[in-house]
Short mmCIF file of all heavy atoms in Angstrom, two decimals:
data_model
loop_
_atom_site.label_atom_id
_atom_site.label_comp_id
_atom_site.label_asym_id
_atom_site.label_seq_id
_atom_site.Cartn_x
_atom_site.Cartn_y
_atom_site.Cartn_z
N ILE A 1 74.52 -57.22 -89.16
CA ILE A 1 73.42 -56.38 -88.72
C ILE A 1 73.92 -54.93 -88.69
O ILE A 1 74.94 -54.63 -88.08
CB ILE A 1 72.92 -56.79 -87.33
CG1 ILE A 1 72.38 -58.21 -87.37
CG2 ILE A 1 71.88 -55.84 -86.83
CD1 ILE A 1 71.99 -58.74 -86.01
N ALA A 2 73.17 -54.08 -89.34
CA ALA A 2 73.55 -52.68 -89.42
C ALA A 2 73.05 -51.92 -88.20
O ALA A 2 72.14 -52.36 -87.48
CB ALA A 2 72.98 -52.07 -90.68
N SER A 3 73.64 -50.79 -87.98
CA SER A 3 73.24 -49.95 -86.84
C SER A 3 71.79 -49.48 -86.98
O SER A 3 71.08 -49.37 -85.98
CB SER A 3 74.17 -48.74 -86.76
OG SER A 3 73.74 -47.86 -85.76
N ALA A 4 71.35 -49.26 -88.18
CA ALA A 4 69.96 -48.83 -88.40
C ALA A 4 68.97 -49.92 -88.01
O ALA A 4 67.91 -49.63 -87.47
CB ALA A 4 69.77 -48.44 -89.87
N GLN A 5 69.33 -51.18 -88.27
CA GLN A 5 68.47 -52.28 -87.88
C GLN A 5 68.39 -52.42 -86.36
O GLN A 5 67.32 -52.67 -85.81
CB GLN A 5 68.96 -53.60 -88.48
CG GLN A 5 68.72 -53.73 -89.96
CD GLN A 5 69.28 -55.05 -90.48
OE1 GLN A 5 70.32 -55.52 -90.03
NE2 GLN A 5 68.57 -55.63 -91.45
N ILE A 6 69.51 -52.26 -85.70
CA ILE A 6 69.52 -52.33 -84.24
C ILE A 6 68.68 -51.20 -83.66
O ILE A 6 67.90 -51.42 -82.73
CB ILE A 6 70.96 -52.31 -83.71
CG1 ILE A 6 71.69 -53.59 -84.14
CG2 ILE A 6 70.97 -52.18 -82.20
CD1 ILE A 6 73.16 -53.61 -83.83
N ASP A 7 68.83 -50.00 -84.19
CA ASP A 7 68.01 -48.87 -83.74
C ASP A 7 66.52 -49.14 -83.95
O ASP A 7 65.69 -48.82 -83.10
CB ASP A 7 68.40 -47.58 -84.45
CG ASP A 7 69.64 -46.94 -83.86
OD1 ASP A 7 70.03 -47.34 -82.74
OD2 ASP A 7 70.21 -46.06 -84.51
N ALA A 8 66.17 -49.76 -85.08
CA ALA A 8 64.77 -50.06 -85.35
C ALA A 8 64.23 -51.10 -84.38
O ALA A 8 63.09 -50.97 -83.89
CB ALA A 8 64.62 -50.56 -86.80
N TRP A 9 65.01 -52.11 -84.05
CA TRP A 9 64.57 -53.13 -83.10
C TRP A 9 64.42 -52.54 -81.70
O TRP A 9 63.47 -52.84 -80.99
CB TRP A 9 65.54 -54.29 -83.05
CG TRP A 9 65.53 -55.16 -84.27
CD1 TRP A 9 64.55 -55.22 -85.23
CD2 TRP A 9 66.54 -56.06 -84.66
NE1 TRP A 9 64.91 -56.12 -86.19
CE2 TRP A 9 66.12 -56.65 -85.87
CE3 TRP A 9 67.76 -56.43 -84.13
CZ2 TRP A 9 66.88 -57.60 -86.54
CZ3 TRP A 9 68.51 -57.37 -84.79
CH2 TRP A 9 68.08 -57.95 -85.99
N ILE A 10 65.38 -51.72 -81.31
CA ILE A 10 65.29 -51.08 -79.99
C ILE A 10 64.07 -50.18 -79.92
O ILE A 10 63.32 -50.20 -78.94
CB ILE A 10 66.59 -50.30 -79.68
CG1 ILE A 10 67.74 -51.28 -79.46
CG2 ILE A 10 66.41 -49.41 -78.46
CD1 ILE A 10 69.09 -50.61 -79.33
N ALA A 11 63.85 -49.41 -80.97
CA ALA A 11 62.69 -48.50 -80.97
C ALA A 11 61.38 -49.28 -80.96
O ALA A 11 60.43 -48.90 -80.27
CB ALA A 11 62.75 -47.59 -82.19
N ALA A 12 61.33 -50.38 -81.69
CA ALA A 12 60.10 -51.16 -81.75
C ALA A 12 59.77 -51.81 -80.42
O ALA A 12 58.61 -52.07 -80.12
CB ALA A 12 60.22 -52.22 -82.83
N LEU A 13 60.77 -52.07 -79.59
CA LEU A 13 60.52 -52.69 -78.29
C LEU A 13 60.63 -51.71 -77.12
O LEU A 13 59.93 -51.86 -76.13
CB LEU A 13 61.49 -53.85 -78.08
CG LEU A 13 61.31 -55.04 -79.01
CD1 LEU A 13 62.38 -56.08 -78.76
CD2 LEU A 13 59.94 -55.65 -78.86
N PHE A 14 61.51 -50.73 -77.23
CA PHE A 14 61.75 -49.85 -76.09
C PHE A 14 60.60 -48.89 -75.83
O PHE A 14 60.21 -48.68 -74.67
CB PHE A 14 63.05 -49.06 -76.30
CG PHE A 14 63.39 -48.19 -75.12
CD1 PHE A 14 63.83 -48.76 -73.94
CD2 PHE A 14 63.27 -46.82 -75.19
CE1 PHE A 14 64.14 -47.97 -72.85
CE2 PHE A 14 63.57 -46.03 -74.11
CZ PHE A 14 64.01 -46.60 -72.94
N PHE A 15 60.05 -48.30 -76.87
CA PHE A 15 58.95 -47.35 -76.68
C PHE A 15 57.73 -48.03 -76.06
O PHE A 15 57.20 -47.53 -75.06
CB PHE A 15 58.59 -46.65 -77.99
CG PHE A 15 59.67 -45.73 -78.51
CD1 PHE A 15 59.93 -45.64 -79.86
CD2 PHE A 15 60.41 -44.95 -77.64
CE1 PHE A 15 60.91 -44.79 -80.34
CE2 PHE A 15 61.40 -44.10 -78.11
CZ PHE A 15 61.65 -44.02 -79.46
N PRO A 16 57.29 -49.19 -76.57
CA PRO A 16 56.16 -49.86 -75.89
C PRO A 16 56.54 -50.35 -74.48
O PRO A 16 55.72 -50.29 -73.57
CB PRO A 16 55.83 -51.04 -76.79
CG PRO A 16 56.43 -50.73 -78.10
CD PRO A 16 57.60 -49.84 -77.84
N LEU A 17 57.78 -50.81 -74.30
CA LEU A 17 58.19 -51.31 -72.99
C LEU A 17 58.14 -50.21 -71.94
O LEU A 17 57.68 -50.44 -70.82
CB LEU A 17 59.60 -51.91 -73.06
CG LEU A 17 60.17 -52.44 -71.75
CD1 LEU A 17 59.34 -53.61 -71.24
CD2 LEU A 17 61.61 -52.84 -71.91
N ALA A 18 58.59 -49.02 -72.30
CA ALA A 18 58.56 -47.91 -71.34
C ALA A 18 57.14 -47.58 -70.92
O ALA A 18 56.85 -47.36 -69.74
CB ALA A 18 59.23 -46.68 -71.95
N ARG A 19 56.22 -47.59 -71.85
CA ARG A 19 54.82 -47.28 -71.52
C ARG A 19 54.17 -48.41 -70.73
O ARG A 19 53.41 -48.17 -69.79
CB ARG A 19 54.04 -46.99 -72.79
CG ARG A 19 54.48 -45.69 -73.42
CD ARG A 19 53.74 -45.41 -74.70
NE ARG A 19 54.21 -44.17 -75.27
CZ ARG A 19 53.50 -43.06 -75.29
NH1 ARG A 19 52.30 -43.05 -74.80
NH2 ARG A 19 54.00 -41.97 -75.82
N ILE A 20 54.47 -49.65 -71.09
CA ILE A 20 53.87 -50.77 -70.37
C ILE A 20 54.43 -50.88 -68.96
O ILE A 20 53.70 -51.15 -68.01
CB ILE A 20 54.06 -52.07 -71.17
CG1 ILE A 20 53.18 -52.02 -72.42
CG2 ILE A 20 53.74 -53.30 -70.33
CD1 ILE A 20 53.43 -53.11 -73.41
N LEU A 21 55.73 -50.64 -68.78
CA LEU A 21 56.30 -50.66 -67.43
C LEU A 21 55.73 -49.53 -66.59
O LEU A 21 55.52 -49.70 -65.38
CB LEU A 21 57.82 -50.58 -67.49
CG LEU A 21 58.53 -51.84 -67.94
CD1 LEU A 21 60.04 -51.62 -67.99
CD2 LEU A 21 58.20 -53.02 -67.06
N GLY A 22 55.45 -48.40 -67.20
CA GLY A 22 54.77 -47.31 -66.48
C GLY A 22 53.38 -47.73 -66.04
O GLY A 22 52.95 -47.42 -64.92
N PHE A 23 52.68 -48.44 -66.89
CA PHE A 23 51.35 -48.94 -66.54
C PHE A 23 51.44 -49.95 -65.41
O PHE A 23 50.65 -49.90 -64.45
CB PHE A 23 50.69 -49.58 -67.77
CG PHE A 23 49.46 -50.38 -67.43
CD1 PHE A 23 48.28 -49.74 -67.10
CD2 PHE A 23 49.49 -51.76 -67.42
CE1 PHE A 23 47.15 -50.47 -66.78
CE2 PHE A 23 48.38 -52.49 -67.11
CZ PHE A 23 47.19 -51.85 -66.79
N VAL A 24 52.39 -50.88 -65.50
CA VAL A 24 52.53 -51.90 -64.46
C VAL A 24 52.91 -51.24 -63.13
O VAL A 24 52.45 -51.66 -62.07
CB VAL A 24 53.56 -52.97 -64.89
CG1 VAL A 24 53.92 -53.90 -63.74
CG2 VAL A 24 53.03 -53.77 -66.06
N ALA A 25 53.72 -50.21 -63.17
CA ALA A 25 54.12 -49.53 -61.93
C ALA A 25 52.98 -48.74 -61.32
O ALA A 25 52.92 -48.56 -60.10
CB ALA A 25 55.30 -48.60 -62.22
N ALA A 26 52.05 -48.27 -62.15
CA ALA A 26 50.96 -47.43 -61.64
C ALA A 26 49.67 -48.18 -61.39
O ALA A 26 48.82 -47.71 -60.64
CB ALA A 26 50.70 -46.29 -62.63
N ALA A 27 49.50 -49.34 -61.98
CA ALA A 27 48.26 -50.10 -61.82
C ALA A 27 48.14 -50.60 -60.38
O ALA A 27 49.10 -51.16 -59.84
CB ALA A 27 48.22 -51.27 -62.79
N PRO A 28 47.00 -50.40 -59.75
CA PRO A 28 46.87 -50.79 -58.34
C PRO A 28 47.12 -52.28 -58.09
O PRO A 28 47.68 -52.64 -57.06
CB PRO A 28 45.41 -50.43 -58.02
CG PRO A 28 45.03 -49.43 -59.02
CD PRO A 28 45.82 -49.72 -60.26
N LEU A 29 46.74 -53.13 -59.01
CA LEU A 29 46.93 -54.56 -58.80
C LEU A 29 48.42 -54.95 -58.82
O LEU A 29 48.86 -55.78 -58.05
CB LEU A 29 46.18 -55.34 -59.88
CG LEU A 29 46.32 -56.86 -59.85
CD1 LEU A 29 45.70 -57.41 -58.58
CD2 LEU A 29 45.68 -57.48 -61.07
N TRP A 30 49.19 -54.33 -59.69
CA TRP A 30 50.60 -54.72 -59.87
C TRP A 30 51.58 -53.86 -59.10
O TRP A 30 52.75 -54.22 -59.01
CB TRP A 30 50.96 -54.68 -61.35
CG TRP A 30 50.12 -55.60 -62.16
CD1 TRP A 30 49.13 -55.26 -63.01
CD2 TRP A 30 50.17 -57.03 -62.16
NE1 TRP A 30 48.56 -56.39 -63.55
CE2 TRP A 30 49.18 -57.49 -63.04
CE3 TRP A 30 50.96 -57.96 -61.49
CZ2 TRP A 30 48.96 -58.83 -63.29
CZ3 TRP A 30 50.73 -59.30 -61.73
CH2 TRP A 30 49.75 -59.73 -62.62
N SER A 31 51.17 -52.73 -58.56
CA SER A 31 52.12 -51.84 -57.90
C SER A 31 52.25 -52.10 -56.40
O SER A 31 52.94 -51.37 -55.71
CB SER A 31 51.72 -50.38 -58.13
OG SER A 31 50.47 -50.13 -57.52
N THR A 32 51.62 -53.13 -55.89
CA THR A 32 51.73 -53.43 -54.47
C THR A 32 53.12 -53.98 -54.14
O THR A 32 53.81 -54.53 -55.01
CB THR A 32 50.67 -54.46 -54.04
OG1 THR A 32 50.89 -55.68 -54.74
CG2 THR A 32 49.27 -53.95 -54.33
N ALA A 33 53.50 -53.85 -52.90
CA ALA A 33 54.81 -54.34 -52.47
C ALA A 33 54.86 -55.86 -52.37
O ALA A 33 55.93 -56.44 -52.25
CB ALA A 33 55.17 -53.71 -51.13
N VAL A 34 53.70 -56.51 -52.42
CA VAL A 34 53.65 -57.96 -52.32
C VAL A 34 54.27 -58.61 -53.56
O VAL A 34 54.90 -59.66 -53.47
CB VAL A 34 52.18 -58.43 -52.14
CG1 VAL A 34 52.08 -59.94 -52.13
CG2 VAL A 34 51.61 -57.83 -50.89
N ILE A 35 54.09 -57.99 -54.72
CA ILE A 35 54.63 -58.53 -55.97
C ILE A 35 56.06 -58.00 -56.14
O ILE A 35 56.28 -56.80 -56.20
CB ILE A 35 53.75 -58.13 -57.16
CG1 ILE A 35 52.34 -58.68 -56.94
CG2 ILE A 35 54.33 -58.65 -58.45
CD1 ILE A 35 51.35 -58.23 -57.96
N PRO A 36 57.05 -58.90 -56.23
CA PRO A 36 58.44 -58.46 -56.35
C PRO A 36 58.69 -57.67 -57.63
O PRO A 36 58.01 -57.84 -58.64
CB PRO A 36 59.23 -59.77 -56.37
CG PRO A 36 58.31 -60.82 -55.89
CD PRO A 36 56.92 -60.35 -56.17
N LEU A 37 59.69 -56.82 -57.57
CA LEU A 37 60.05 -55.96 -58.71
C LEU A 37 60.43 -56.80 -59.93
O LEU A 37 60.05 -56.49 -61.05
CB LEU A 37 61.20 -55.04 -58.32
CG LEU A 37 61.68 -54.08 -59.38
CD1 LEU A 37 60.57 -53.11 -59.77
CD2 LEU A 37 62.89 -53.32 -58.91
N ARG A 38 61.15 -57.88 -59.71
CA ARG A 38 61.57 -58.73 -60.83
C ARG A 38 60.36 -59.33 -61.54
O ARG A 38 60.32 -59.43 -62.76
CB ARG A 38 62.49 -59.84 -60.34
CG ARG A 38 63.00 -60.72 -61.47
CD ARG A 38 63.98 -61.72 -60.99
NE ARG A 38 65.21 -61.02 -60.61
CZ ARG A 38 66.24 -61.59 -60.03
NH1 ARG A 38 66.22 -62.87 -59.75
NH2 ARG A 38 67.31 -60.90 -59.73
N THR A 39 59.35 -59.71 -60.78
CA THR A 39 58.13 -60.26 -61.37
C THR A 39 57.41 -59.22 -62.21
O THR A 39 56.93 -59.51 -63.30
CB THR A 39 57.19 -60.78 -60.26
OG1 THR A 39 57.90 -61.74 -59.49
CG2 THR A 39 55.95 -61.41 -60.84
N ARG A 40 57.35 -57.98 -61.71
CA ARG A 40 56.71 -56.91 -62.48
C ARG A 40 57.49 -56.61 -63.75
O ARG A 40 56.91 -56.34 -64.80
CB ARG A 40 56.57 -55.66 -61.61
CG ARG A 40 55.51 -55.83 -60.54
CD ARG A 40 55.34 -54.58 -59.75
NE ARG A 40 56.30 -54.66 -58.63
CZ ARG A 40 56.59 -53.66 -57.83
NH1 ARG A 40 56.04 -52.49 -58.00
NH2 ARG A 40 57.44 -53.82 -56.85
N LEU A 41 58.82 -56.66 -63.67
CA LEU A 41 59.65 -56.42 -64.85
C LEU A 41 59.44 -57.52 -65.89
O LEU A 41 59.28 -57.23 -67.08
CB LEU A 41 61.12 -56.35 -64.44
CG LEU A 41 62.12 -56.11 -65.57
CD1 LEU A 41 61.90 -54.74 -66.20
CD2 LEU A 41 63.53 -56.23 -65.05
N ILE A 42 59.42 -58.76 -65.46
CA ILE A 42 59.20 -59.88 -66.39
C ILE A 42 57.80 -59.78 -67.00
O ILE A 42 57.61 -60.04 -68.19
CB ILE A 42 59.41 -61.22 -65.68
CG1 ILE A 42 60.90 -61.38 -65.36
CG2 ILE A 42 58.92 -62.39 -66.51
CD1 ILE A 42 61.23 -62.55 -64.47
N LEU A 43 56.82 -59.39 -66.21
CA LEU A 43 55.46 -59.20 -66.72
C LEU A 43 55.43 -58.13 -67.81
O LEU A 43 54.84 -58.31 -68.87
CB LEU A 43 54.51 -58.83 -65.59
CG LEU A 43 53.08 -58.49 -66.02
CD1 LEU A 43 52.36 -59.74 -66.47
CD2 LEU A 43 52.35 -57.81 -64.89
N GLY A 44 56.09 -57.00 -67.56
CA GLY A 44 56.14 -55.93 -68.56
C GLY A 44 56.83 -56.35 -69.84
O GLY A 44 56.37 -56.04 -70.94
N ILE A 45 57.93 -57.08 -69.71
CA ILE A 45 58.65 -57.56 -70.90
C ILE A 45 57.79 -58.56 -71.67
O ILE A 45 57.72 -58.52 -72.90
CB ILE A 45 60.01 -58.16 -70.50
CG1 ILE A 45 60.93 -57.05 -70.00
CG2 ILE A 45 60.64 -58.90 -71.66
CD1 ILE A 45 62.22 -57.54 -69.39
N ALA A 46 57.11 -59.44 -70.95
CA ALA A 46 56.26 -60.45 -71.62
C ALA A 46 55.10 -59.79 -72.36
O ALA A 46 54.79 -60.16 -73.50
CB ALA A 46 55.74 -61.44 -70.59
N ILE A 47 54.47 -58.81 -71.73
CA ILE A 47 53.37 -58.10 -72.40
C ILE A 47 53.89 -57.38 -73.64
O ILE A 47 53.25 -57.39 -74.69
CB ILE A 47 52.68 -57.14 -71.42
CG1 ILE A 47 51.93 -57.92 -70.34
CG2 ILE A 47 51.70 -56.22 -72.16
CD1 ILE A 47 51.39 -57.05 -69.23
N THR A 48 55.05 -56.74 -73.51
CA THR A 48 55.62 -56.02 -74.65
C THR A 48 55.93 -56.95 -75.81
O THR A 48 55.60 -56.65 -76.96
CB THR A 48 56.91 -55.29 -74.22
OG1 THR A 48 56.59 -54.38 -73.17
CG2 THR A 48 57.52 -54.52 -75.38
N LEU A 49 56.55 -58.08 -75.52
CA LEU A 49 56.87 -59.03 -76.58
C LEU A 49 55.61 -59.63 -77.21
O LEU A 49 55.61 -59.97 -78.39
CB LEU A 49 57.78 -60.13 -76.05
CG LEU A 49 59.19 -59.69 -75.68
CD1 LEU A 49 59.96 -60.85 -75.06
CD2 LEU A 49 59.93 -59.14 -76.88
N ALA A 50 54.55 -59.73 -76.43
CA ALA A 50 53.32 -60.30 -76.95
C ALA A 50 52.58 -59.34 -77.87
O ALA A 50 52.01 -59.75 -78.88
CB ALA A 50 52.41 -60.72 -75.80
N ILE A 51 52.59 -58.05 -77.55
CA ILE A 51 51.80 -57.10 -78.35
C ILE A 51 52.62 -56.32 -79.36
O ILE A 51 52.05 -55.67 -80.22
CB ILE A 51 51.02 -56.12 -77.45
CG1 ILE A 51 51.96 -55.15 -76.74
CG2 ILE A 51 50.13 -56.83 -76.49
CD1 ILE A 51 51.25 -53.98 -76.13
N ALA A 52 53.95 -56.38 -79.28
CA ALA A 52 54.78 -55.59 -80.20
C ALA A 52 54.51 -55.88 -81.67
O ALA A 52 54.48 -54.95 -82.48
CB ALA A 52 56.25 -55.78 -79.86
N PRO A 53 54.31 -57.14 -82.08
CA PRO A 53 54.03 -57.37 -83.51
C PRO A 53 52.71 -56.76 -83.99
O PRO A 53 52.56 -56.49 -85.17
CB PRO A 53 53.99 -58.89 -83.62
CG PRO A 53 54.73 -59.40 -82.46
CD PRO A 53 54.51 -58.40 -81.37
N ALA A 54 51.77 -56.53 -83.09
CA ALA A 54 50.47 -56.01 -83.48
C ALA A 54 50.41 -54.48 -83.46
O ALA A 54 49.43 -53.90 -83.91
CB ALA A 54 49.39 -56.56 -82.56
N LEU A 55 51.45 -53.83 -82.97
CA LEU A 55 51.45 -52.37 -82.89
C LEU A 55 51.74 -51.75 -84.25
O LEU A 55 52.41 -52.35 -85.09
CB LEU A 55 52.52 -51.92 -81.89
CG LEU A 55 52.27 -52.30 -80.44
CD1 LEU A 55 53.45 -51.89 -79.58
CD2 LEU A 55 51.00 -51.66 -79.92
N PRO A 56 51.25 -50.53 -84.46
CA PRO A 56 51.58 -49.84 -85.72
C PRO A 56 53.07 -49.50 -85.75
O PRO A 56 53.74 -49.53 -84.73
CB PRO A 56 50.72 -48.58 -85.67
CG PRO A 56 50.40 -48.38 -84.23
CD PRO A 56 50.38 -49.73 -83.61
N PRO A 57 53.59 -49.18 -86.93
CA PRO A 57 55.02 -48.86 -87.02
C PRO A 57 55.38 -47.68 -86.12
O PRO A 57 54.62 -46.73 -85.99
CB PRO A 57 55.21 -48.48 -88.49
CG PRO A 57 54.03 -49.02 -89.21
CD PRO A 57 52.92 -49.12 -88.22
N VAL A 58 56.54 -47.78 -85.51
CA VAL A 58 57.00 -46.72 -84.62
C VAL A 58 57.64 -45.61 -85.45
O VAL A 58 58.08 -45.84 -86.57
CB VAL A 58 58.00 -47.27 -83.59
CG1 VAL A 58 57.33 -48.23 -82.65
CG2 VAL A 58 59.18 -47.91 -84.25
N PRO A 59 57.71 -44.41 -84.89
CA PRO A 59 58.38 -43.33 -85.61
C PRO A 59 59.85 -43.65 -85.85
O PRO A 59 60.43 -44.49 -85.17
CB PRO A 59 58.24 -42.13 -84.65
CG PRO A 59 57.11 -42.48 -83.76
CD PRO A 59 57.10 -43.97 -83.66
N THR A 60 60.44 -42.96 -86.80
CA THR A 60 61.80 -43.27 -87.21
C THR A 60 62.86 -42.57 -86.37
O THR A 60 64.02 -42.60 -86.72
CB THR A 60 62.01 -42.90 -88.68
OG1 THR A 60 61.72 -41.52 -88.85
CG2 THR A 60 61.13 -43.74 -89.58
N ALA A 61 62.51 -41.95 -85.28
CA ALA A 61 63.49 -41.26 -84.44
C ALA A 61 64.32 -42.29 -83.68
O ALA A 61 63.78 -43.24 -83.13
CB ALA A 61 62.78 -40.35 -83.44
N PRO A 62 65.64 -42.12 -83.64
CA PRO A 62 66.48 -43.03 -82.85
C PRO A 62 66.11 -42.93 -81.36
O PRO A 62 65.84 -41.85 -80.85
CB PRO A 62 67.90 -42.53 -83.09
CG PRO A 62 67.83 -41.69 -84.31
CD PRO A 62 66.44 -41.15 -84.37
N PRO A 63 66.11 -44.04 -80.64
CA PRO A 63 65.68 -44.02 -79.25
C PRO A 63 66.53 -43.13 -78.34
O PRO A 63 66.03 -42.58 -77.37
CB PRO A 63 65.81 -45.48 -78.81
CG PRO A 63 65.86 -46.27 -80.05
CD PRO A 63 66.39 -45.38 -81.12
N ALA A 64 67.82 -42.98 -78.65
CA ALA A 64 68.70 -42.20 -77.79
C ALA A 64 68.74 -40.72 -78.16
O ALA A 64 69.45 -39.95 -77.53
CB ALA A 64 70.11 -42.77 -77.83
N SER A 65 67.95 -40.30 -79.12
CA SER A 65 67.95 -38.89 -79.51
C SER A 65 66.91 -38.12 -78.70
O SER A 65 66.10 -38.70 -77.98
CB SER A 65 67.65 -38.76 -81.00
OG SER A 65 66.30 -39.11 -81.24
N LEU A 66 66.93 -36.82 -78.84
CA LEU A 66 65.95 -35.98 -78.14
C LEU A 66 64.54 -36.28 -78.64
O LEU A 66 63.61 -36.36 -77.84
CB LEU A 66 66.28 -34.50 -78.35
CG LEU A 66 65.38 -33.51 -77.63
CD1 LEU A 66 65.46 -33.71 -76.12
CD2 LEU A 66 65.76 -32.09 -77.99
N GLY A 67 64.39 -36.50 -79.92
CA GLY A 67 63.08 -36.87 -80.48
C GLY A 67 62.59 -38.20 -79.95
O GLY A 67 61.41 -38.37 -79.66
N GLY A 68 63.49 -39.16 -79.78
CA GLY A 68 63.13 -40.46 -79.23
C GLY A 68 62.67 -40.36 -77.79
O GLY A 68 61.72 -41.00 -77.37
N LEU A 69 63.36 -39.54 -77.02
CA LEU A 69 62.94 -39.34 -75.63
C LEU A 69 61.61 -38.61 -75.55
O LEU A 69 60.78 -38.89 -74.68
CB LEU A 69 64.02 -38.55 -74.86
CG LEU A 69 65.33 -39.31 -74.62
CD1 LEU A 69 66.35 -38.40 -73.98
CD2 LEU A 69 65.10 -40.54 -73.78
N TRP A 70 61.38 -37.69 -76.46
CA TRP A 70 60.11 -36.96 -76.49
C TRP A 70 58.95 -37.90 -76.82
O TRP A 70 57.87 -37.78 -76.26
CB TRP A 70 60.20 -35.82 -77.49
CG TRP A 70 58.99 -34.96 -77.50
CD1 TRP A 70 58.03 -34.93 -78.45
CD2 TRP A 70 58.59 -34.02 -76.52
NE1 TRP A 70 57.08 -34.03 -78.11
CE2 TRP A 70 57.38 -33.44 -76.93
CE3 TRP A 70 59.15 -33.60 -75.31
CZ2 TRP A 70 56.71 -32.49 -76.19
CZ3 TRP A 70 58.49 -32.64 -74.57
CH2 TRP A 70 57.29 -32.11 -75.02
N ILE A 71 59.17 -38.83 -77.74
CA ILE A 71 58.13 -39.80 -78.08
C ILE A 71 57.83 -40.70 -76.88
O ILE A 71 56.68 -41.04 -76.63
CB ILE A 71 58.59 -40.65 -79.29
CG1 ILE A 71 58.62 -39.79 -80.55
CG2 ILE A 71 57.67 -41.84 -79.50
CD1 ILE A 71 59.30 -40.45 -81.72
N MET A 72 58.84 -41.05 -76.13
CA MET A 72 58.65 -41.95 -75.00
C MET A 72 57.78 -41.31 -73.92
O MET A 72 56.98 -41.98 -73.28
CB MET A 72 59.99 -42.34 -74.40
CG MET A 72 59.87 -43.40 -73.34
SD MET A 72 61.45 -44.01 -72.77
CE MET A 72 62.21 -42.56 -72.12
N PHE A 73 57.92 -40.01 -73.74
CA PHE A 73 57.11 -39.34 -72.71
C PHE A 73 55.83 -38.86 -73.30
O PHE A 73 54.88 -38.64 -72.76
CB PHE A 73 57.89 -38.19 -72.08
CG PHE A 73 59.06 -38.68 -71.27
CD1 PHE A 73 60.35 -38.40 -71.65
CD2 PHE A 73 58.85 -39.44 -70.15
CE1 PHE A 73 61.41 -38.85 -70.91
CE2 PHE A 73 59.91 -39.88 -69.40
CZ PHE A 73 61.20 -39.59 -69.79
#
């Protein structure tokens, strides 16, 4: 496995994961203290893995670069 492939896999999952975890943290139903943090994290990962194949191609910026961080925000 080449470094470019690993970067592509991370970008394909990390960018949607960051946005979905932000949604889970801000959504009134999921942001209550009654639901444990681990449960919210697993929910975010499950949603990301479920919808990642249906998302359009991600930009080619490496996730750890300044451009990658800019895309995430």
Side-chain angles (χ1 to χ4, degrees):
I1 297 174
S3 175
Q5 287 178 324
I6 293 173
D7 280 345
W9 289 343
I10 290 173
L13 294 176
F14 183 71
F15 292 142
L17 179 64
R19 291 178 181 251
I20 290 170
L21 286 178
F23 168 74
V24 170
L29 177 65
W30 300 107
S31 64
T32 62
V34 176
I35 300 174
L37 180 63
R38 182 175 291 174
T39 303
R40 288 183 271 170
L41 179 65
I42 291 171
L43 175 72
I45 291 172
I47 292 171
T48 301
L49 291 175
I51 69 166
L55 294 175
V58 294
T60 57
S65 70
L66 183 61
L69 291 175
W70 185 254
I71 291 169
M72 187 173 61
F73 292 114

